[in-house]
Amino acid sequence: MKRLALLLACILLSFKVCMAKAKVDVTDLRVEMKVNPLGINSVHPRFSWKIETCERNVVQLSYQVEVATSKEQLETGKGLLWSSGMVKSDCSVLVPYAGVPLQAGTEYLWRVKVQTNKGASKWSAISRWTMTMDAASFRAKWIGIDRCTNAKENAGTKEDARTRLAARYLRKEFTLDKPLKRALLYICGLGSSEAYINGKRVGAGVLSPTVSLYTKRVYYNVYDVTDLLSEKNAIGVVLGNGRYFGMRNPGAQTFGFPRLFTQLMIDYADGSKNCIASDGTWKATAKGPIVANNEYDGEEYDARLEMKGWCENGYDDHAWRKVDVMAAPQGVMDSQPNPNIVVHESIKPVSITKLSGDQYILDMGQNMVGWLAVDLKAKKDSTVTMRFAETLKKDGHLYLDNLRSALVTDKYTAGKEGAFHWEPSFTYHGFRYVEVSGLDYEPELADFTGKVVYDAMATSGCFETSNVLLNQIYKNSYWGIRGNYRGMPTDCPQRDERMGWLGDRATGAYGEAFVFDNSLLYGKWLQDIEDSMSPQGSISDVSPDYWILYNDDVTWSSAFFNVADMLYKQYGDDSAIRKHYPAMRKWMKHMEEVSLKEGIMTKDEYGDWCMPPEAIELIHSKDPARKTDAAILSTTVYYNLLHKMMKYAHITGNDVDIPGYEALASQMKEAYNNKFFNKETGSYGNNTVTANILSLCLGLVPAGYENKVFDHIVKKTEGDFGGHVSTGVVGIQYLMRGLTDYGNVNLAYKLATNETYPSWGYMVKNGATTIWELWNGNTADPAMNSGNHVMLLGDLLIWCYEDLAGIKCAPDVTGFKKLIMAPAFPDGLDAVSASYQSVYGDIKSAWTKKDGAFNWNITLPANTSAVVRLPNALHVVANRKNGLKEVTKSGEYTDFEIGSGSYTIKGEYISEEMK
């Protein structure tokens, strides 16, 4: 009774809180999908907001946006730069500014109110943004140390196959002679940098700025540093090598020695301005404690060289040298569109094991990406060494073979005897295990902390089921995805590669978008892809193209188009399509010139990459029966891209291009079926699952043959492969959804929950805490055997959210303005609970189906709606209590309509156990 009374009290309290709030509130204001951003460079920035309400079926009818340069202007309504007036529209996402021209470097304030069918909101809280400076306002010079100084100065040496270079330290002192109003720091330190003002760190970002193809584009960050300044000041910047200087020589592009461009813009209270810019008056040294840093090889820190107070006013820098004024990178300077990498989480090791001598092995309990922070004790001049790996050998030592030439070693040399705290600045590692050596005592777990780093972004999704293995696979995916966000989506975080391979994300980006709000990262990556294109229109296989690889591969290049489509579908943002349409069209024409022959795309470089091989020690299969014809891969995917280009042409106002795409698509479909389709058997090529699933899901199968083709997919999977995956990175992009769409969710569920090779569950059962590069990652040749890749996820995560949880955007809208909620119910799965933070707000779906009872809780954010589709066997009917409105009923399913709000749907069925 007490528990019941407590539950009723909680419900009553929740009701009172809801009633006490305004019926409609406007929250979560954003400009270009950012909260109070600095450095916006769009002349028509776009505004978004969310509507909070306890009411059901709430729809925005109109909105009003106001923009000003002061709070007083907004409150009085005088001097506004823009008032939209009350605009009749249900649009609350990416509404463009349409006022007077905005001024560079100026801060703007804005607010919004809405009218809904359930009442009007008050004005929202005031939000703000700042425009970036125009190029003409930059007075700064690029500065640094423009040479590889000698080893005696600890500034760097060159070695075979890799380069070593010490960090550069730069500083400048200045005074403020008037009361300060505001100060913004514009900074680009290449390759990576850390900035300090008066001894305090500027910003929370690490390994910043973001990566780019520096010959085409260089990004700077903007920080509000008003609170860090005083009358007498010093600014200090440390430059690490990042991806700019000599990651590998030869092998990867190198762009020159590290260099700094920074400008502090000062607004005084009296309206006057000042500027402190990088120039020849700054001082520099390479004799600081970071004596070497490299993202692949690690960081070496010599505490004997620490310079106490070097970034504070009054430091004696007479031994420092004047900086070199250096050439600017070739790329244009641009305000960074995506957030920096940050430390998201700290984890503790789960065990320490002593090896021989002074060696200890830490187990973090999780394959993670970042670095190790330590609190240890050492004698003066002694060195503590840390090496990182994903797995161990049978004898308990680190397994390093799969890291290839990456040294993955951090070193700390003590400057005095006693305790110290240290963590690196300009490296990162992919690891679960750490070998620690150089201590003269046995350390404790509390002495070590793993710092988990990736791009600053919200976790937007949660997913859990009644199947423990599937939950662990999802968790592995979560860790793998975030571990491969490094200002670009990388293939792996641990070996001497860590590149932005396009093929890994052709569909992966879509599934990832349910888990993380990756819109800004992927929007920026599309610019990397265009910047990395060849003059002829070829798309690089990796972007930024730190490796020079132009193979004119259709399946890898499709990521350029698919990611733009994901941003449009998932976030309602068509700006990437508008921006990159000319480059996309150029590539399409280029591929027709170099690859199209008689309606067939002939070029393909990688095949159905990493399909399960016939022998567990192999990386790639050698069995022709397992391999899908290259022209099948390239033609089916190119055909799909033609249909995307029809849509993109319409969005961008290039409708004149559509007939050409239509004609070519028709020609290719006919040629493809003439060449590869066997009408008698109803199969494609040599009848691989990949050949058939691509043909079916991408719309090339002749009408009336769909079920016959699908039967081959099922029979091949169940018969030849024992109900296991047989596809590589291309086929897996459509497998789970294809099986479910054509009525065999049980087979999809079996693939998702298998525990034997090859499967995601096999990885888990063999100790994986992320996703492997290979289905046989525990036995294959270490030459290409990463323990943290996400390309083999294919469409698994999309399937989890859309097909199991029923969180799926309707095909005729974007951004989840309307959903089609039609969960599939595989045998043996009793419950699914998921949520997704859409651009309109939280979407929640949680169903249970057990012992004859069905229960489904749904929450939709305001200004959205859904069609709920349920099997008639569940005996769900519409009534006032559940809020459903029946719209259509077929032999197997009934469609109901719901608006925003929370709903509980109940039904019943006859289970197998009850028969």
Side-chain angles (χ1 to χ4, degrees), residues 224-235:
D224 188 329
V225 296
T226 308
D227 294 340
L228 299 181
L229 295 174
S230 58
E231 181 181 352
K232 294 184 178 181
N233 303 278
I235 179 171

Side-chain angles (χ1 to χ4, degrees), residues 351-406:
S351 69
I352 300 179
T353 303
K354 182 176 174 58
L355 299 179
S356 60
D358 64 353
Q359 291 183 332
Y360 297 87
I361 294 291
L362 302 181
D363 180 1
M364 303 306 296
Q366 171 65 53
N367 196 7
M368 57 167 283
V369 177
W371 53 75
L372 195 66
V374 299
D375 292 279
L376 297 169
K377 294 175 290 184
K379 292 181 179 179
K380 187 178 185 301
D381 301 327
S382 66
T383 298
V384 178
T385 301
M386 290 155 278
R387 295 198 300 165
F388 301 80
E390 295 180 306
T391 56
L392 298 177
K393 297 178 181 178
K394 291 182 180 180
D395 64 4
H397 288 81
L398 297 182
Y399 177 77
L400 298 169
D401 293 356
N402 68 329
L403 305 184
R404 303 198 290 224
S405 70

Side-chain angles (χ1 to χ4, degrees), residues 187-200:
I187 182 169
C188 176
L190 301 176
S192 299
S193 64
E194 292 180 352
Y196 299 83
I197 292 180
N198 297 329
K200 295 181 179 179

